[in-house]
Amino acid sequence: MTPGKTPKPVEELNLLSSPMQRNSAAKQLTSPVLHGLKLGCKRPYDGSSPIVPPRKILAARKASHNLLSQLQQPRATLVLSDGTRWPGVSFGAELAVSGEVVFNTAMVGYPESLTDPSYRGQILCLTYPLIGNYGVPADTKDDLGLPLYFESGEIHVTALIVSEYSHDACHWNLVHTLSDWLKQHKVPGLYGIDTRALTKHLRERGAMLGKIVPAGADDASVVQIDPNHMNLVAQVSTKEPKLFISHAPPRIGRLGKRMRIVAVDCGIKANIIRYFMSKGVELLLVPWDYDFNKEEFDGLFISNGPGDPTRCETTIQHLREVLGRDAWRHEKPVFGICLGNQLLGMAAGASTYKLPFGNRGQNQPVINLINRRCFITPQNHGYALDVTKLPEGWIPIFENRNDGSNEGIMHTERPWITAQFHPEAKSGPSDTSFLFDLFLSAMADPSTPLTKTLSLGMYVEPEPKPLTKVLLLGSGGLSIGQAGEFDYSGSQAIKALKEEGLEVILINPNIASVQTNVDGQGQSPADRVYLMPVTADIVESIIERERPEGIILSMGGQTGLNCGVALEKRGILKKYNVRVLGTQVDAIEATEDRGIFSEKLTEINERIAPSFAVTTVKDALIAAEKIGYPCMIRAAFALGGLGSGLMGSPEELTEMARTALASAPQLLVEKSLKGWKEVEYEVVRDAANNCITVCNMENFDPLGVHTGDSIVIAPSQTLTDEEYHMLRDTAIKVVRHLGIVGECNIQYALDPNSKDYCIIEVNPRLSRSSALASKATGYPLAAVAAKLALGQLLPDLTNSVTQSTTACFEPSLDYIVVKVPRWDLSKFDRVSRQIGSALKSGGEGMA
């Protein structure tokens, strides 16, 4: 189909000029269905999105009213069924509505959430406090007629509740403000409500009915609608079948034809269709009550959807027929997501129950009960499957690690599987998208047991080795960029190691620090403290005396890393049989040696700025000529950005390169990305390959200013869901490839006018940002990293805040943290007051 043309209805097959033409056209469809829409694309598949929007210059939309007019905005009140009242300010359509009040804990992705059909009939409260920063993109359609940036063609929430609304929006892809978009779709929105208190109220008392009553109106004048008593699926499902033809090379089935999936539309999200289309299949989308048993297909898919699953009895009956028919039908794989999980479970014989307040957000930890791997999943449901009543032959395979509710089932002999969460994401992480590939593989060969794939990656715990004494390397001497910045991580590590009954030996020359206090000052002190420099010679003498079995290198900043590399290269660790706990030396070298780092990223097709690793000033000048001025230089194995800077001429480069190479063995000359956003993620990984991002942060200053010298905001404020998870997925991919065990930090440069990004660096250790992230989120990064270094696994560690849930989760904040640097320039009279890529800050404040 040519983009821009109206797709031809399948009914038009009957209008062709001759019976031969009609018969030939009809044979192109393996389905007997000759009604609905046939959608597809005939152009060659290039592996990219069907339509790539043109590059734009950073767009902004400002509020059309001033502060006074904002104060005069109309008011409205959210009235809950228990009688509590929550007054707010209207920023959407000024209408009276009612529905079920629920909350979502995601920090990004409001356009995707609002257009998710699963929210039909619900008044949605977003727990993240500031909404609307990046506006709303255009309603662009791809060549299949699917919206590129939304999950359906309309807003499905009944109303939106937020704490603070950003009247001014700024993003390269925005077209509307959130306020204007809500008004266009006639959806009310309220801000100025204490969403933390409202969320707490709903958590304690459960999701409840509510209504939005405009100022001056009587509560009784607004009729209360209970969506739980309505068939919401019938409202959001397609009214007629639609056949989508993939633009990718065809995936051929067992009968020699392109694979066909019949998808039961209970409120299917657009990204599910997008995903299947990228895999070369054709997808027949049918209404929720359609009898799909008369169709020919390679696989059956049951989508997500809103409301009470018992309202879909017709769908359940059709599924029972699939599960109970002849053996040839048993070979047809069946895959259900979200509501589809509940419907297939009920067809198998189980029942469902309503959760107190549901699971809606992007950070729900789910355990694969077969291989014990833990995944971070996006979810949006108010009902769950009661697996205690599953019949013989069915087993639960996924479980929510927080509340223990079922997250998926499978048949032990047939290729039938479900997931309560959303593998397709949008919004949220796509860590479980492999389930789509599992479904497609089962379509190609239904005889292969699903358990074979689901058991891949099972962690086999190594033979335990004796470990009673651990040597912990602290930071170097007191200077900008080390010492106090790593006191937090060292202290937390000591505490965690002592909890495991280990003897801790600390080397740290800083007497004025918490971790070197033998009385502990309220914390568990190290058993012995050596107030000596962290150098290879001194550490060797202490190893010879103390004879520890293990050493941790990642808690003392750059000094600890450099010392660990030296110990390994000189054979000292091998000589005394000391094993490195956590991130190994080869991983440290892969991140610190700029040449190896670039090669490692190239191996996984990740993006890094064009660069050259050099060891002489002459080579640096040659590299700069190839890259062009201005260019950026960075010293390897350097502390606090020392030896780095933006070079505008050969003269500047010559002077800086000489200085940098005097203290560093290697220099990286790279293309300047000055003006790009700087974003970083704190990542945690265990030995079983469970990997999460604990916190992301965005610098107020663009790239070119050291993070320590910049105002930093956590979480990021200008990233869309797609950008946030693009960088998150990259972080996890890189950390796994490098083999880091424990905690690390990855920094990006992100183009403010597109989705282009480059990886700046990975710090395979606790950093200044780690302390900020720990305090901002309440997640004890250093303590968790220390226990992971001992071989413990993330799902088995307890969340230190709740004391009941797992540490394998990604915190969702309902507040914003701002870090402001502090410079003690009065102590350094001759130091330039111009900030850049080399750190000058000696402290910071956080609020």
Side-chain angles (χ1 to χ4, degrees):
M1 181 180 87
T2 303
K5 288 189 177 181
T6 304
K8 179 188 293 186
V10 180
E11 295 101 305
E12 293 183 13
L13 292 171
N14 295 323
L15 303 179
L16 297 173
S17 57
S18 70
M20 183 177 294
Q21 287 178 319
R22 288 197 297 270
N23 291 337
S24 175
K27 288 179 181 178
Q28 295 175 10
L29 294 173
T30 59
S31 168
V33 176
L34 296 180
H35 58 282
L37 298 178
K38 181 178 179 181
L39 305 171
C41 175
K42 297 180 180 179
R43 65 176 176 77
Y45 178 63
D46 60 3
S48 61
S49 179
I51 292 180
V52 179
R55 180 184 173 93
K56 299 190 232 175
I57 301 301
L58 189 65
R61 292 288 183 274
K62 290 186 176 293
S64 58
H65 44 256
N66 55 32
L67 179 60
L68 181 60
S69 61
Q70 289 183 32
L71 296 174
Q72 296 172 344
Q73 281 185 271
R75 265 53 176 174
T77 301
L78 172 65
V79 181
L80 299 182
S81 57
D82 64 357
T84 56
R85 304 174 65 84
W86 306 80
V89 181
S90 175
F91 71 100
E94 297 174 26
L95 298 173
V97 296
S98 64
E100 183 182 36
V101 184
V102 299
F103 63 88
N104 182 311
T105 61
M107 298 185 292
V108 290
Y110 55 83
E112 292 86 352
S113 293
L114 269 59
T115 54
D116 182 350
S118 296
Y119 278 114
R120 190 75 167 193
Q122 294 178 330
I123 298 174
L124 178 61
C125 168
L126 299 180
T127 61
Y128 187 68
L130 187 59
I131 302 296
N133 279 5
Y134 53 84
V136 177
D139 188 19
T140 306
K141 301 290 196 302
D142 64 15
D143 51 7
L144 297 171
L146 299 172
L148 276 181
Y149 305 112
F150 307 127
E151 291 310 299
S152 67
E154 62 178 297
I155 297 178
H156 285 281
V157 300
T158 299
L160 179 65
I161 307 295
V162 302
S163 176
E164 296 291 338
Y165 169 65
S166 178
H167 293 274
D168 297 335
C170 185
H171 191 268
W172 64 270
N173 201 30
L174 79 82
V175 172
H176 312 286
T177 64
L178 176 57
S179 175
D180 291 341
W181 190 51
L182 291 175
K183 291 175 182 177
Q184 289 173 14
H185 288 263
K186 296 181 171 52
V187 175
L190 292 185
Y191 75 89
I193 290 178
D194 186 344
T195 52
R196 175 181 287 183
L198 175 59
T199 301
K200 184 179 179 181
H201 189 76
L202 295 175
R203 286 182 63 91
E204 292 174 348
R205 306 194 182 190
M208 61 182 68
L209 301 180
K211 60 179 72 173
I212 291 182
V213 182
D218 183 68
D219 293 359
S221 66
V222 183
V223 178
Q224 180 64 64
I225 296 174
D226 187 352
N228 296 297
H229 295 162
M230 303 168 65
N231 189 341
L232 300 175
V233 169
Q235 296 181 19
V236 300
S237 178
T238 183
K239 307 308 177 188
E240 60 180 5
K242 299 178 183 178
L243 182 63
F244 293 88
I245 308 295
S246 173
H247 53 274
R251 182 184 290 256
I252 304 301
R254 290 177 295 160
L255 300 179
K257 298 183 294 185
R258 185 192 290 265
M259 285 184 179
R260 168 172 284 196
I261 296 171
V262 168
V264 183
D265 180 11
C266 299
I268 193 167
K269 292 169 65 177
N271 207 46
I272 294 175
I273 303 176
R274 294 188 202 107
Y275 192 91
F276 281 130
M277 290 300 96
S278 72
K279 297 299 181 179
V281 303
E282 62 182 40
L283 184 141
L284 179 65
L285 188 68
V286 300
W288 71 280
D289 56 352
Y290 183 83
D291 186 3
F292 43 78
N293 286 285
K294 63 184 180 183
E295 294 291 336
E296 292 292 335
F297 54 81
D298 296 283
L300 178 64
F301 177 81
I302 309 101
S303 83
N304 62 289
D308 187 344
T310 61
R311 301 286 168 179
C312 301
E313 184 58 34
T314 304
T315 311
I316 296 171
Q317 289 294 346
H318 292 323
L319 286 171
R320 286 189 181 125
E321 188 175 349
V322 170
L323 302 185
R325 288 190 58 180
D326 299 334
W328 73 271
R329 278 287 181 184
H330 286 160
E331 296 180 359
K332 302 294 183 179
V334 182
F335 183 25
I337 285 178
C338 194
L339 181 66
N341 168 59
Q342 300 160 22
L343 297 180
L344 190 60
M346 294 175 72
S351 61
T352 60
Y353 62 95
K354 187 170 174 52
L355 294 166
F357 47 81
N359 286 330
R360 299 176 180 89
Q362 299 181 3
N363 68 335
Q364 290 289 327
V366 169
I367 288 283
N368 176 342
L369 297 175
I370 297 176
N371 66 4
R372 305 305 299 177
R373 288 281 300 279
C374 189
F375 303 98
I376 304 301
T377 64
Q379 301 194 14
N380 176 16
H381 61 275
Y383 291 81
L385 198 63
D386 183 359
V387 293
T388 61
K389 300 178 182 178
L390 276 177
E392 185 178 356
W394 290 87
I395 59 172
I397 54 167
F398 296 115
E399 180 180 280
N400 190 296
R401 190 61 179 79
N402 281 344
D403 63 14
S405 61
N406 173 256
E407 295 283 359
I409 60 174
M410 67 172 288
H411 197 277
T412 55
E413 298 178 358
R414 308 298 183 186
W416 303 333
I417 187 171
T418 69
Q420 183 60 64
F421 44 89
H422 286 264
E424 83 288 349
K426 294 292 181 182
S427 60
S430 55
D431 298 10
T432 54
S433 62
F434 66 87
L435 290 175
F436 287 107
D437 297 309
L438 175 63
F439 177 51
L440 294 170
S441 297
M443 288 166 55
D445 182 11
S447 63
T448 301
L450 298 178
T451 51
K452 182 178 180 180
T453 301
L454 291 171
S455 62
L456 295 176
M458 183 180 294
Y459 177 65
V460 179
E461 191 170 346
E463 189 74 22
K465 298 179 180 179
L467 184 64
T468 58
K469 185 185 294 188
V470 174
L471 178 62
L472 180 65
L473 299 188
S475 65
L478 183 62
S479 66
I480 290 177
Q482 65 176 12
E485 287 87 343
F486 301 102
D487 198 19
Y488 176 83
S489 58
S491 299
Q492 290 290 310
I494 292 171
K495 179 181 177 182
L497 295 172
K498 295 294 289 182
E499 287 175 353
E500 299 303 316
L502 297 172
E503 185 178 352
V504 181
I505 311 302
L506 172 67
I507 307 176
N508 191 325
N510 301 296
I511 191 170
S513 62
V514 174
Q515 62 183 275
T516 55
N517 291 328
V518 292
D519 61 2
Q521 291 189 348
Q523 299 192 48
S524 299
D527 292 275
R528 275 179 296 286
V529 177
Y530 289 86
L531 297 171
M532 303 178 72
V534 184
T535 63
D537 291 333
I538 290 177
V539 172
E540 181 183 11
S541 65
I542 295 173
I543 289 176
E544 184 179 15
R545 177 176 178 176
E546 294 288 348
R547 299 289 175 161
E549 295 97 347
I551 183 172
I552 295 180
L553 311 174
S554 58
M555 301 293 175
Q558 194 64 50
T559 300
L561 295 185
N562 292 349
C563 182
V565 172
L567 291 171
E568 176 71 18
K569 287 186 174 181
R570 289 167 57 172
I572 296 172
L573 299 179
K574 183 178 181 179
K575 176 182 177 181
Y576 294 98
N577 197 25
V578 179
R579 66 181 187 272
V580 175
L581 305 177
T583 300
Q584 299 299 296
V585 173
D586 59 345
I588 294 173
E589 288 189 285
T591 59
E592 297 298 321
D593 185 303
R594 298 292 179 166
I596 300 176
F597 182 60
S598 180
E599 292 172 0
K600 285 287 186 180
L601 294 184
T602 302
E603 290 172 2
I604 54 174
N605 298 316
E606 271 307 333
R607 312 177 195 179
I608 188 171
S611 60
F612 296 93
V614 300
T615 56
T616 66
V617 175
K618 180 181 178 181
D619 289 342
L621 289 168
I622 295 173
E625 288 299 326
K626 293 179 180 179
I627 291 174
Y629 292 95
C631 63
M632 189 76 184
I633 66 168
R634 301 178 188 276
F637 301 94
L639 175 70
L642 190 66
S644 67
L646 189 66
M647 304 293 104
S649 66
E651 292 75 21
E652 290 182 10
L653 176 59
T654 300
E655 182 180 354
M656 178 61 79
R658 284 174 180 164
T659 303
L661 289 172
S663 58
Q666 185 190 71
L667 202 64
L668 189 74
V669 182
E670 65 182 20
K671 177 183 176 181
S672 170
L673 300 176
K674 184 178 181 181
W676 286 31
K677 299 178 185 178
E678 185 166 355
V679 182
E680 53 188 309
Y681 284 69
E682 297 297 321
V683 189
V684 175
R685 176 179 175 268
D686 66 19
N689 215 20
N690 296 302
C691 195
I692 60 173
T693 61
V694 171
C695 182
N696 94 316
M697 292 163 278
E698 182 176 10
N699 285 14
F700 180 83
D701 300 289
L703 193 70
V705 177
H706 192 282
T707 301
D709 284 338
S710 177
I711 297 172
V712 178
I713 298 95
S716 57
Q717 297 297 297
T718 67
L719 270 59
T720 63
D721 177 78
E722 184 173 11
E723 292 167 335
Y724 181 99
H725 288 286
M726 172 183 71
L727 299 182
R728 176 194 176 274
D729 292 347
T730 299
I732 291 175
K733 176 182 176 183
V734 170
V735 168
R736 282 176 168 162
H737 184 65
L738 293 173
I740 291 171
V741 175
E743 200 273 350
C744 71
N745 165 277
I746 183 169
Q747 298 176 14
Y748 298 96
L750 178 65
D751 185 356
N753 293 313
S754 74
K755 293 188 296 183
D756 290 343
Y757 70 89
C758 287
I759 298 171
I760 302 173
E761 65 180 3
V762 173
N763 291 311
R765 56 177 170 80
L766 275 293
S767 66
R768 178 185 303 96
S769 299
S770 307
L772 169 62
S774 295
K775 296 169 187 174
T777 62
Y779 192 102
L781 284 166
V784 169
K787 296 201 174 185
L788 297 183
L790 301 179
Q792 298 185 30
L793 304 183
L794 274 170
D796 300 331
L797 296 179
T798 302
N799 181 339
S800 63
V801 177
T802 64
Q803 293 297 319
S804 59
T805 56
T806 177
C808 191
F809 82 108
E810 298 183 356
S812 283
L813 307 186
D814 63 354
Y815 52 88
I816 297 169
V817 175
V818 178
K819 182 271 293 184
V820 179
R822 180 177 182 272
W823 297 275
D824 294 317
L825 296 180
S826 59
K827 298 179 180 178
F828 308 101
D829 294 336
R830 292 177 290 178
V831 172
S832 169
R833 294 181 176 245
Q834 182 176 354
I835 58 176
S837 58
L839 178 64
K840 293 182 179 178
S841 167
E844 57 195 29
M846 188 178 74

